[in-house]
Amino acid sequence: MCYDIGVSVVNLINKLEIEVVMSTKDAMSLVGSRSKLYRMVDTGEIRKVEPSGLGFFTLDKYSDEECHFIILSKYYPKCVVSGMTALRLYELGDDYFDLIDVDILNTTNLTTSIFNVNRVSKSQYTEIVEREFPDFGINRKIQIYSPERVLFEAYKYYGEGSDSFIRALKRYRSKYLDIKRPSTQYDQIMSINKKVGGIIIQVLKVGDVSE
């Protein structure tokens, strides 16, 4: 196959304008060879997504953090954002994350330098939604647990009765709970796990939830 270098460069840049991130394989399919691809890196037309060796390319205007979430949704569609990352995105926790916490089914394996991968059972791999988080620069939909399911991440990582756990539930009540008609969300929480759900609801029902 014969590639016109000028056309292929423009095609790749235009594609990155739309898709933000492309893998080495996908980018090479447009420019024709690895050497041409890395020549574009050398000239500053595109750049590698850090950390080095990850194997993805983007434009200079996109941050690595944004690219990591795009990589997640585009190339790892079975990963679900979980843990501290999910708590932070829903503004239920304040912890800063270096790696994106993701869950995958325990029947699969995944190793990558930008995700903290947790293998979970099918019963835990539930309440998965797709949404954007523009306040965090995530303007494309990612797979993440629902706010109700993420309350169980607060229980898991913070521990029952801890200040961070109570704070997360207070914020959920303030931001997401329908105070006038909470029964639907309470049923949703209980359907995930009755034992832990009962503990969560007990805290949510406390009248004084001011921070």
Side-chain angles (χ1 to χ4, degrees):
M1 184 179 292
C2 180
Y3 292 84
D4 183 300
I5 296 177
V7 172
S8 62
V9 166
V10 171
N11 285 345
L12 176 56
I13 292 174
N14 288 343
K15 195 82 169 176
L16 287 172
E17 289 282 359
I18 298 170
E19 298 188 10
V20 180
V21 172
M22 294 186 74
S23 68
T24 301
K25 179 182 177 181
D26 288 345
M28 282 177 55
S29 71
L30 290 178
V31 299
S33 70
R34 187 179 296 269
S35 61
K36 292 176 184 176
L37 182 62
Y38 281 90
R39 193 177 304 133
M40 291 179 68
V41 174
D42 292 338
T43 59
E45 293 166 288
I46 63 172
R47 71 173 183 87
K48 297 178 185 178
V49 178
E50 296 295 332
S52 180
L54 195 58
F56 292 92
F57 297 86
T58 188
L59 302 176
D60 196 51
K61 65 180 180 179
Y62 298 119
S63 70
D64 285 327
E65 183 177 57
E66 181 178 4
C67 289
H68 292 170
F69 280 103
I70 300 298
I71 291 169
L72 173 69
S73 63
K74 184 177 179 182
Y75 292 98
Y76 300 95
K78 294 191 180 298
C79 288
V80 180
V81 177
S82 62
M84 298 295 193
T85 307
L87 286 161
R88 178 69 177 134
L89 293 179
Y90 279 120
E91 298 182 271
L92 302 180
D94 298 320
D95 302 274
Y96 179 80
F97 52 87
D98 292 319
L99 301 178
I100 301 172
D101 290 313
V102 299
D103 282 2
I104 60 172
L105 284 171
N106 57 13
T107 54
T108 59
N109 287 293
L110 172 65
T111 302
T112 174
S113 59
I114 59 173
F115 305 146
N116 177 33
V117 181
N118 303 288
R119 299 169 72 243
V120 299
S121 66
K122 189 175 181 179
S123 63
Q124 295 172 294
Y125 191 78
T126 186
E127 289 283 330
I128 299 167
V129 299
E130 291 187 349
R131 60 172 292 172
E132 303 168 358
F133 293 88
D135 289 346
F136 290 89
I138 304 170
N139 298 306
R140 288 168 172 77
K141 289 183 178 180
I142 58 172
Q143 287 207 134
I144 188 170
Y145 289 130
S146 68
E148 291 70 32
R149 172 64 177 79
V150 171
L151 295 176
F152 291 81
E153 300 294 277
Y155 179 89
K156 175 181 177 180
Y157 287 96
Y158 295 147
E160 179 185 355
S162 69
D163 290 344
S164 295
F165 176 70
I166 300 300
R167 187 182 305 114
L169 268 61
K170 286 181 178 180
R171 290 179 179 179
Y172 170 85
R173 180 180 172 108
S174 174
K175 292 177 66 65
Y176 301 105
L177 186 66
D178 184 345
I179 301 298
K180 294 182 179 180
R181 294 180 294 275
S183 59
T184 299
Q185 286 161 286
Y186 287 165
D187 289 345
Q188 188 177 354
I189 291 168
M190 289 298 289
S191 71
I192 296 169
N193 181 290
K194 289 184 178 180
K195 180 180 178 181
V196 178
I199 294 169
I200 289 171
I201 291 172
Q202 185 177 10
V203 176
L204 292 175
K205 286 182 175 180
V206 174
D208 182 9
V209 294
S210 63
E211 294 195 77

